[in-house]
Amino acid sequence: MINYAVVFGCIVVLGLPLNAASLWILIQRHRLKSPSAVFMINLALADLLLVLSLPMRVYYYATGTWSLGVVACTFMTMLFRNNIRASAIFITFIGVDRLLAVVFPLRSRHLRNTTNSWKACGLVWIFLVAVNIPESVSFSRNRYHNNQTTCFVFSDSWTGPTAPMYIQACLVLTLLAVNIFSTSMVSWKLHQLGASGQMTDNKINVMLIFAMNLLMFVIFFLPVSLAMIVGHVTTIYATMCLASLNCCFDPLLYYFSLDSFWKKKDNSVSSSLK
């Protein structure tokens, strides 16, 4: 278990300043200027919550003891699982927003506003809490071993994937399909627009966002969701470490989405992305 402590410790050291700085910049500089900014603020918040929960994992994996009780363990575990779900949803929202801006710039103007974006984000958090309630009850029942509270491990009495795990796998697969569709549509539209000068740079930035979105799903979200279903404990631990790394890569998404697009407003593609 000490290897997991080292991995999560490195993620904390790298992810905490990155996400704290990203959230501050998003709020102070970009605020509510676009739907994408709203989604990214919520994504950064989800990542920051994940990072803040990791020191407890480092402590447990390093010492093998947990003295904070079942409630604290359940809360920290839900923060971890919610990051995967929230990140997958908010990244998909960002992709769909780009899709609407590029492919349907005029017809989507009434949909692409900060009010609707905040409403969508609010529904996401409500959904996550609703899933957490029965999941927390099921999780807390198996937190005792030899009269001691265990945490962040799968107990000997674990019987396999639960309903929320199946829900997560279906959610990630569905959102991956949405991202693939969005990528295809935007690529087709940008190919129709042609390319010259600054237009080429903006088109590259647009496709970089979609490429990063797909990589996030394939590398970070999909493996851990499928591992939970397969039920191989060693694989689950490894993919959980991998999934945690997503919080260190999301700032790249903020950079390409906001800086590149908002600084180049003199062409048709970037103007439609405001």
Side-chain angles (χ1 to χ4, degrees), residues 158 160-170 173 222-232 236:
W158 188 59
T162 59
M165 294 179 183
Y166 284 110
I167 292 174
Q168 177 173 309
C170 292
L173 288 171
L222 191 59
V224 67
S225 300
L226 296 180
M228 290 285 187
I229 301 301
V230 174
H232 193 281
I236 293 174

Short mmCIF file of all heavy atoms in Angstrom, two decimals, residues 158 160-170 173 222-232 236:
data_model
loop_
_atom_site.label_atom_id
_atom_site.label_comp_id
_atom_site.label_asym_id
_atom_site.label_seq_id
_atom_site.Cartn_x
_atom_site.Cartn_y
_atom_site.Cartn_z
N TRP A 158 -16.57 -7.96 0.42
CA TRP A 158 -17.06 -7.29 -0.79
C TRP A 158 -17.55 -8.32 -1.79
O TRP A 158 -16.83 -9.25 -2.16
CB TRP A 158 -15.94 -6.45 -1.41
CG TRP A 158 -16.41 -5.57 -2.53
CD1 TRP A 158 -17.35 -4.59 -2.48
CD2 TRP A 158 -15.94 -5.59 -3.89
NE1 TRP A 158 -17.51 -4.00 -3.71
CE2 TRP A 158 -16.65 -4.59 -4.60
CE3 TRP A 158 -14.99 -6.35 -4.58
CZ2 TRP A 158 -16.45 -4.33 -5.94
CZ3 TRP A 158 -14.78 -6.09 -5.93
CH2 TRP A 158 -15.51 -5.09 -6.60
N GLY A 160 -18.83 -7.63 -4.90
CA GLY A 160 -18.79 -7.23 -6.31
C GLY A 160 -19.38 -5.86 -6.52
O GLY A 160 -19.68 -5.13 -5.57
N PRO A 161 -19.54 -5.45 -7.77
CA PRO A 161 -20.01 -4.11 -8.09
C PRO A 161 -21.43 -3.86 -7.59
O PRO A 161 -22.28 -4.75 -7.60
CB PRO A 161 -19.94 -4.06 -9.62
CG PRO A 161 -19.99 -5.49 -10.05
CD PRO A 161 -19.27 -6.26 -8.97
N THR A 162 -21.67 -2.62 -7.17
CA THR A 162 -22.99 -2.21 -6.71
C THR A 162 -23.69 -1.45 -7.83
O THR A 162 -23.09 -1.14 -8.87
CB THR A 162 -22.86 -1.31 -5.47
OG1 THR A 162 -22.06 -0.16 -5.81
CG2 THR A 162 -22.19 -2.07 -4.33
N ALA A 163 -24.96 -1.11 -7.59
CA ALA A 163 -25.73 -0.39 -8.60
C ALA A 163 -25.08 0.93 -9.00
O ALA A 163 -25.01 1.25 -10.20
CB ALA A 163 -27.16 -0.16 -8.09
N PRO A 164 -24.59 1.76 -8.03
CA PRO A 164 -23.93 3.01 -8.44
C PRO A 164 -22.70 2.78 -9.32
O PRO A 164 -22.39 3.63 -10.16
CB PRO A 164 -23.52 3.64 -7.10
CG PRO A 164 -24.51 3.10 -6.12
CD PRO A 164 -24.76 1.70 -6.57
N MET A 165 -22.01 1.67 -9.14
CA MET A 165 -20.85 1.39 -10.00
C MET A 165 -21.29 1.11 -11.43
O MET A 165 -20.64 1.54 -12.39
CB MET A 165 -20.07 0.21 -9.45
CG MET A 165 -19.40 0.47 -8.12
SD MET A 165 -18.52 -0.97 -7.49
CE MET A 165 -17.93 -0.35 -5.91
N TYR A 166 -22.40 0.39 -11.57
CA TYR A 166 -22.95 0.17 -12.91
C TYR A 166 -23.43 1.49 -13.52
O TYR A 166 -23.26 1.74 -14.72
CB TYR A 166 -24.10 -0.83 -12.86
CG TYR A 166 -23.67 -2.27 -12.69
CD1 TYR A 166 -23.90 -2.95 -11.50
CD2 TYR A 166 -23.03 -2.95 -13.73
CE1 TYR A 166 -23.51 -4.28 -11.34
CE2 TYR A 166 -22.64 -4.27 -13.59
CZ TYR A 166 -22.88 -4.93 -12.39
OH TYR A 166 -22.47 -6.24 -12.24
N ILE A 167 -24.03 2.33 -12.69
CA ILE A 167 -24.50 3.63 -13.16
C ILE A 167 -23.31 4.46 -13.66
O ILE A 167 -23.39 5.10 -14.71
CB ILE A 167 -25.25 4.38 -12.03
CG1 ILE A 167 -26.57 3.66 -11.72
CG2 ILE A 167 -25.51 5.82 -12.43
CD1 ILE A 167 -27.31 4.25 -10.54
N GLN A 168 -22.22 4.42 -12.89
CA GLN A 168 -21.03 5.19 -13.29
C GLN A 168 -20.47 4.69 -14.61
O GLN A 168 -20.12 5.49 -15.49
CB GLN A 168 -19.96 5.10 -12.21
CG GLN A 168 -18.66 5.81 -12.60
CD GLN A 168 -17.67 5.86 -11.46
OE1 GLN A 168 -18.01 6.27 -10.35
NE2 GLN A 168 -16.43 5.44 -11.70
N ALA A 169 -20.39 3.38 -14.77
CA ALA A 169 -19.87 2.82 -16.02
C ALA A 169 -20.75 3.21 -17.21
O ALA A 169 -20.24 3.62 -18.27
CB ALA A 169 -19.76 1.30 -15.92
N CYS A 170 -22.05 3.12 -17.04
CA CYS A 170 -22.99 3.51 -18.11
C CYS A 170 -22.88 5.00 -18.40
O CYS A 170 -22.93 5.42 -19.58
CB CYS A 170 -24.41 3.15 -17.72
SG CYS A 170 -24.76 1.38 -17.65
N LEU A 173 -19.56 5.67 -20.34
CA LEU A 173 -19.66 5.19 -21.72
C LEU A 173 -20.58 6.08 -22.56
O LEU A 173 -20.28 6.37 -23.72
CB LEU A 173 -20.16 3.75 -21.72
CG LEU A 173 -19.16 2.68 -21.24
CD1 LEU A 173 -19.86 1.33 -21.09
CD2 LEU A 173 -17.99 2.57 -22.22
N LEU A 222 -12.60 5.95 -18.09
CA LEU A 222 -13.08 4.65 -18.54
C LEU A 222 -12.42 3.47 -17.83
O LEU A 222 -13.13 2.55 -17.39
CB LEU A 222 -12.92 4.53 -20.06
CG LEU A 222 -13.60 3.35 -20.73
CD1 LEU A 222 -15.11 3.38 -20.49
CD2 LEU A 222 -13.32 3.36 -22.24
N PRO A 223 -11.10 3.44 -17.66
CA PRO A 223 -10.48 2.27 -17.01
C PRO A 223 -10.99 2.00 -15.61
O PRO A 223 -11.30 0.85 -15.27
CB PRO A 223 -8.99 2.64 -16.99
CG PRO A 223 -8.82 3.57 -18.15
CD PRO A 223 -10.08 4.36 -18.19
N VAL A 224 -11.10 3.01 -14.77
CA VAL A 224 -11.54 2.78 -13.39
C VAL A 224 -13.01 2.38 -13.35
O VAL A 224 -13.41 1.54 -12.53
CB VAL A 224 -11.29 4.03 -12.52
CG1 VAL A 224 -12.18 5.19 -12.93
CG2 VAL A 224 -11.49 3.70 -11.04
N SER A 225 -13.83 2.93 -14.24
CA SER A 225 -15.25 2.58 -14.26
C SER A 225 -15.45 1.13 -14.67
O SER A 225 -16.28 0.42 -14.09
CB SER A 225 -16.00 3.51 -15.22
OG SER A 225 -15.88 4.86 -14.82
N LEU A 226 -14.69 0.68 -15.66
CA LEU A 226 -14.79 -0.72 -16.09
C LEU A 226 -14.16 -1.66 -15.07
O LEU A 226 -14.63 -2.78 -14.87
CB LEU A 226 -14.13 -0.89 -17.46
CG LEU A 226 -14.78 -0.14 -18.62
CD1 LEU A 226 -14.02 -0.40 -19.91
CD2 LEU A 226 -16.25 -0.53 -18.77
N ALA A 227 -13.08 -1.22 -14.42
CA ALA A 227 -12.42 -2.05 -13.40
C ALA A 227 -13.36 -2.34 -12.24
O ALA A 227 -13.34 -3.43 -11.66
CB ALA A 227 -11.15 -1.37 -12.91
N MET A 228 -14.19 -1.36 -11.88
CA MET A 228 -15.17 -1.56 -10.81
C MET A 228 -16.16 -2.67 -11.17
O MET A 228 -16.62 -3.41 -10.30
CB MET A 228 -15.93 -0.26 -10.54
CG MET A 228 -15.09 0.83 -9.89
SD MET A 228 -14.80 0.50 -8.15
CE MET A 228 -14.00 2.05 -7.68
N ILE A 229 -16.48 -2.78 -12.45
CA ILE A 229 -17.43 -3.80 -12.89
C ILE A 229 -16.76 -5.16 -12.95
O ILE A 229 -17.33 -6.18 -12.53
CB ILE A 229 -18.01 -3.42 -14.28
CG1 ILE A 229 -18.71 -2.06 -14.21
CG2 ILE A 229 -18.97 -4.50 -14.75
CD1 ILE A 229 -19.84 -1.98 -13.22
N VAL A 230 -15.54 -5.18 -13.49
CA VAL A 230 -14.81 -6.45 -13.58
C VAL A 230 -14.51 -7.01 -12.20
O VAL A 230 -14.59 -8.22 -11.97
CB VAL A 230 -13.51 -6.25 -14.38
CG1 VAL A 230 -12.67 -7.52 -14.37
CG2 VAL A 230 -13.83 -5.84 -15.81
N GLY A 231 -14.15 -6.12 -11.27
CA GLY A 231 -14.00 -6.54 -9.88
C GLY A 231 -12.64 -7.06 -9.49
O GLY A 231 -12.48 -7.61 -8.40
N HIS A 232 -11.61 -6.90 -10.32
CA HIS A 232 -10.27 -7.32 -9.96
C HIS A 232 -9.64 -6.24 -9.07
O HIS A 232 -9.38 -5.12 -9.52
CB HIS A 232 -9.42 -7.52 -11.21
CG HIS A 232 -8.13 -8.25 -10.95
ND1 HIS A 232 -7.03 -7.62 -10.42
CD2 HIS A 232 -7.78 -9.55 -11.12
CE1 HIS A 232 -6.04 -8.48 -10.29
NE2 HIS A 232 -6.47 -9.67 -10.71
N ILE A 236 -8.38 -2.35 -9.82
CA ILE A 236 -9.15 -1.22 -9.31
C ILE A 236 -8.23 -0.20 -8.66
O ILE A 236 -8.32 1.00 -8.91
CB ILE A 236 -10.23 -1.70 -8.32
CG1 ILE A 236 -11.30 -2.51 -9.05
CG2 ILE A 236 -10.87 -0.50 -7.62
CD1 ILE A 236 -12.33 -3.13 -8.12
#
